[in-house]
Amino acid sequence: MRVSNIISISAIGSSGVLAQSTNQSLDAPVTTGNPAGVSARAVLPPEAFWTGGSLSGNVEGYVLARSATNGSGLDYEVSFSNLPAEGGPFIYHIHVAPVPANGNCTSTLAHLDQTGRGENPICDLTQPASCQQGDLSGKYGNITDGRLSYSFHDPYTSLREGDGAYIGNRSFVFHFLNKTRISCANFTVSTANTSTPYPTSSSSGIKTSPTPTPTTLPVPGAGSVLNVAKNFAIAPVVAAFIALL
């Protein structure tokens, strides 16, 4: 009896350690090395994927992500309007696949989830590292009529190509609370303008014809002038000598 109790206690302790270890392994890694000046923006299209209810046209909005100044994680800005009157609060996520040309939001597949955590249990916004990387509304708040725009820093997504948490080739989907997909959009990556600045006034960069160099005739040297003078001075003497012959 005592032995069985010891075994039971040991088993509980082992399972607790195992569960703790497993939970820790599900934490998303912090991304680093995000390139300076890079951003990704996804804007919802004019037409909704889901039509019906009180929605007129489509939800309007965007998700904008920028590399953080220290290269660790991304700074986000989100804004939405023209929400349906029913079905909220609304949720949105980064999905692993892009939206195809036909606009089918179901083709974006599942949420970005590098650790394989899954959607259950639901994200605890007090522990964002334990959530799916793509579950932005789960980590930072749902969209409601009273909260349409906000900004946040997410350490677990990336704009560094080759990183598993890279979002530049993915999409985001806007959902009803029951996870029905209302609309979706692909991210487009932009980089900062690092081109050579325009030249200053001291170097306008405008091509002009070169200033012509005046052509000058060679001027004889002093020695040549003296020789000519001597020739003119001797000429009469020579002429007189010839006349005496």
Side-chain angles (χ1 to χ4, degrees):
M1 183 72 171
R2 186 177 177 183
V3 173
S4 63
N5 287 340
I6 293 173
I7 293 173
S8 298
I9 293 171
S10 299
I12 292 171
S14 298
S15 63
V17 171
L18 179 60
Q20 185 179 10
S21 173
T22 303
N23 288 336
Q24 289 177 345
S25 69
L26 290 176
D27 284 355
V30 172
T31 67
T32 57
N34 290 293
V38 176
S39 64
R41 182 184 179 97
V43 181
L44 293 175
E47 298 297 325
F49 173 66
W50 179 91
T51 56
S54 63
L55 182 60
S56 175
N58 191 16
V59 174
E60 299 173 6
Y62 64 88
V63 173
L64 171 64
R66 297 184 180 92
S67 294
T69 53
N70 61 357
S72 179
L74 304 180
D75 294 326
Y76 281 83
E77 175 186 316
V78 300
S79 182
F80 300 101
S81 60
N82 194 40
L83 304 180
E86 71 285 335
F90 302 93
I91 56 179
Y92 64 100
H93 316 106
I94 297 173
H95 285 240
V96 293
V99 182
N102 64 6
N104 188 340
C105 293
T106 60
S107 297
T108 61
L109 304 180
H111 305 162
L112 175 60
D113 184 13
Q114 196 178 7
T115 63
R117 174 198 187 278
E119 296 185 30
N120 295 309
I122 63 171
C123 172
D124 180 355
L125 56 79
T126 66
Q127 299 181 27
S130 69
C131 303
Q132 292 177 304
Q133 290 145 300
D135 189 1
L136 298 183
S137 59
K139 291 185 284 186
Y140 305 107
N142 298 336
I143 300 298
T144 66
D145 285 332
R147 191 170 189 256
L148 294 171
S149 303
Y150 57 98
S151 301
F152 55 87
H153 175 76
D154 181 65
Y156 315 109
T157 47
S158 175
L159 279 172
R160 180 172 62 85
E161 291 190 57
D163 193 312
Y166 180 68
I167 69 169
N169 57 354
R170 307 188 193 276
S171 61
F172 93 92
V173 179
F174 193 86
H175 303 255
F176 286 111
L177 187 60
N178 67 4
K179 300 182 183 178
T180 298
R181 304 182 185 204
I182 302 174
S183 189
C184 53
N186 289 330
F187 284 100
T188 300
V189 177
S190 301
T191 56
N193 182 9
T194 55
S195 59
T196 304
Y198 289 107
T200 61
S201 57
S202 61
S203 177
S204 66
I206 300 174
K207 292 184 178 180
T208 57
S209 300
T211 303
T213 303
T215 303
T216 55
L217 296 175
V219 177
S224 298
V225 173
L226 183 60
N227 289 335
V228 171
K230 287 180 179 178
N231 290 336
F232 277 109
I234 295 173
V237 176
V238 172
F241 178 79
I242 293 174
L244 293 176
L245 294 177

